[in-house]
Each structure stands twice: as structure tokens, then as C-alpha cells.
């Protein structure tokens, strides 16, 4: 059994184990390590001797990477098939609602005179109602909850900007300063 670096692996990385000869298949681990210890592998034009410890360490790293990859794929598959995964409206509704948050963040750059008080108040009420819905629905939709918490804070800030521009908040300050 021998390893050749790079030439048979897609992408040219890692070690490839070629099929062993039949007599080596029956040998134990020690025989494999003894035979492998002084074998070489090619890297481009150069020929280098591979140390057994480095090869074993390399394979342990590759195995742990494979384990992490498999765990990641299992987690992704579980999310894909979950009750709030991308195959349901419990996922796509909140994704679409992040547009409200993005629009509110963009509107922070605009002058407060352009803010509609009625629409901003309606958005505040909408987000408050749907925060409760996201908490009460089974299974709990944390993505929807996070979306509406974010939207509520953005819209409340916009409403405070509008109220300041209309003079609703500054009148109370003027009354407090005159007394």
C-alpha cells in the first residue's frame, strides 16, 4: 500500500490510498507502518520522505474534518426538514419581513419630515402583534420573533424622530424648563 500526494484527489490535495497487494492486505497495522515508514510521495518535481507521525496526524485531521462535515450536513438536513425550516411559511414569512427592517434602517438617513406618522404607528402595532404571535405559535418561531423585535425597535425610533419633528416631544421639554 502506498500514498501518492495530490495526483488522484480532486483538487490535488490530500493523500490517496491505492489498493494494497493481496499479501499486504493480510498484514497487521505494524507491518503496514513498517512498510510505509520509508515510502515516498511525490509533490510536483520533488520527491520527499514522509514521516509516519505526520501522515497519521494528517489522517486524523482529515477524519475530524469529515466528522465535522457530516455533523454540519446532518444539522442542515434537520433544519431543512424542521417545522420552521425553508419548506414552510414559518421560514419564508420572516425572511420577507426582514425587508421592513431594512427599509426602516434606510429611512433613518432621510429627513424626519418625510416620515409618515400613521404608517409608522401602524408598523409598530403590526410588529407588536406579530411578536406575540411568534411567541405563542407552536413550534415557537424565533426567526419571526427576532424579525419583529428588530422591526419594532426601528419603527419606534422612526416614530420618535417623527414626533420630535412635529413638536410633540419638544413641547414637554419646554413646559418643564419654564416651570
Amino acid at each position: 500500500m502506498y500514498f501518492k500526494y495530490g495526483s488522484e484527489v480532486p483538487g490535488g490535495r490530500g493523500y490517496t490510498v491505492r489498493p494494497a497487494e493481496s499479501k499486504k492486505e493480510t498484514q497487521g497495522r505494524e507491518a503496514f507502518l513498517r512498510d510505509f515508514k520509508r515510502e515516498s510521495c511525490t509533490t510536483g518535481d520533488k520527491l520527499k520522505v514522509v514521516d509516519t507521525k505526520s501522515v497519521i496526524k494528517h489522517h486524523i485531521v482529515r477524519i475530524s474534518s469529515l466528522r465535522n462535515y457530516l455533523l454540519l450536513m446532518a444539522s442542515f438536513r434537520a433544519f431543512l426538514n424542521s417545522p420552521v425550516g425553508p419548506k414552510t411559511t414559518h421560514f419564508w414569512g420572516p425572511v420577507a419581513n426582514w425587508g421592513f427592517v431594512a427599509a426602516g434602517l434606510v429611512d433613518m438617513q432621510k429627513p424626519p419630515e418625510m416620515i409618515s406618522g400613521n404608517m409608522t404607528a401602524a408598523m409598530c402595532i403590526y410588529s407588536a402583534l406579530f411578536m406575540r404571535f411568534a411567541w405563542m405559535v407552536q413550534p415557537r418561531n424565533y426567526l419571526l420573533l427576532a424579525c419583529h423585535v428588530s422591526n419594532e425597535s426601528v419603527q419606534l425610533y422612526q416614530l420618535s424622530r417623527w414626533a420630535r419633528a412635529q413638536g410633540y416631544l419638544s413641547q414637554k421639554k419646554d413646559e418643564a424648563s419654564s416651570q
Side-chain angles (χ1 to χ4, degrees):
M1 180 177 288
Y2 60 94
F3 291 77
K4 188 172 181 186
Y5 185 78
S7 64
E8 297 184 13
V9 178
R13 293 188 208 112
Y15 291 93
T16 301
V17 179
R18 291 190 180 170
E21 299 167 8
S22 59
K23 69 177 188 175
K24 285 190 179 181
E25 287 177 356
T26 59
Q27 294 176 347
R29 182 172 182 261
E30 294 81 20
F32 167 73
L33 290 175
R34 185 183 62 238
D35 290 344
F36 179 74
K37 202 173 223 178
R38 300 305 295 169
E39 297 224 3
S40 60
C41 47
T42 58
T43 55
D45 299 337
K46 300 176 184 176
L47 189 65
K48 79 175 191 183
V49 176
V50 177
D51 181 29
T52 305
K53 289 181 183 178
S54 67
V55 171
I56 291 173
K57 182 180 176 184
H58 174 76
H59 284 292
I60 289 172
V61 169
R62 302 261 329 246
I63 289 170
S64 65
S65 297
L66 177 63
R67 186 176 300 135
N68 290 342
Y69 173 76
L70 292 175
L71 287 173
L72 179 69
M73 288 285 89
S75 299
F76 179 71
R77 191 174 301 117
F79 167 69
L80 191 66
N81 296 321
S82 74
V84 291
K87 293 181 178 180
T88 66
T89 58
H90 289 285
F91 177 79
W92 292 109
V95 168
N97 279 327
W98 279 104
F100 293 137
V101 179
L105 291 172
V106 169
D107 286 346
M108 286 182 184
Q109 305 300 321
K110 295 181 180 176
E113 294 79 26
M114 293 184 68
I115 298 172
S116 168
N118 291 337
M119 188 64 202
T120 305
M123 290 297 289
C124 286
I125 293 168
Y126 163 78
S127 286
L129 289 173
F130 271 91
M131 276 192 290
R132 183 182 184 284
F133 170 79
W135 187 256
M136 299 304 287
V137 70
Q138 291 298 323
R140 283 195 174 141
N141 195 337
Y142 295 110
L143 184 60
L144 185 66
L145 182 66
C147 170
H148 284 293
V149 165
S150 301
N151 192 32
E152 183 74 20
S153 37
V154 167
Q155 296 303 329
L156 284 173
Y157 175 71
Q158 293 290 76
L159 194 60
S160 71
R161 287 181 62 216
W162 175 80
R164 249 186 251 116
Q166 298 298 318
Y168 293 121
L169 294 180
S170 61
Q171 288 177 355
K172 291 182 181 180
K173 289 182 184 176
D174 291 339
E175 291 173 6
S177 64
S178 67
Q179 291 177 354

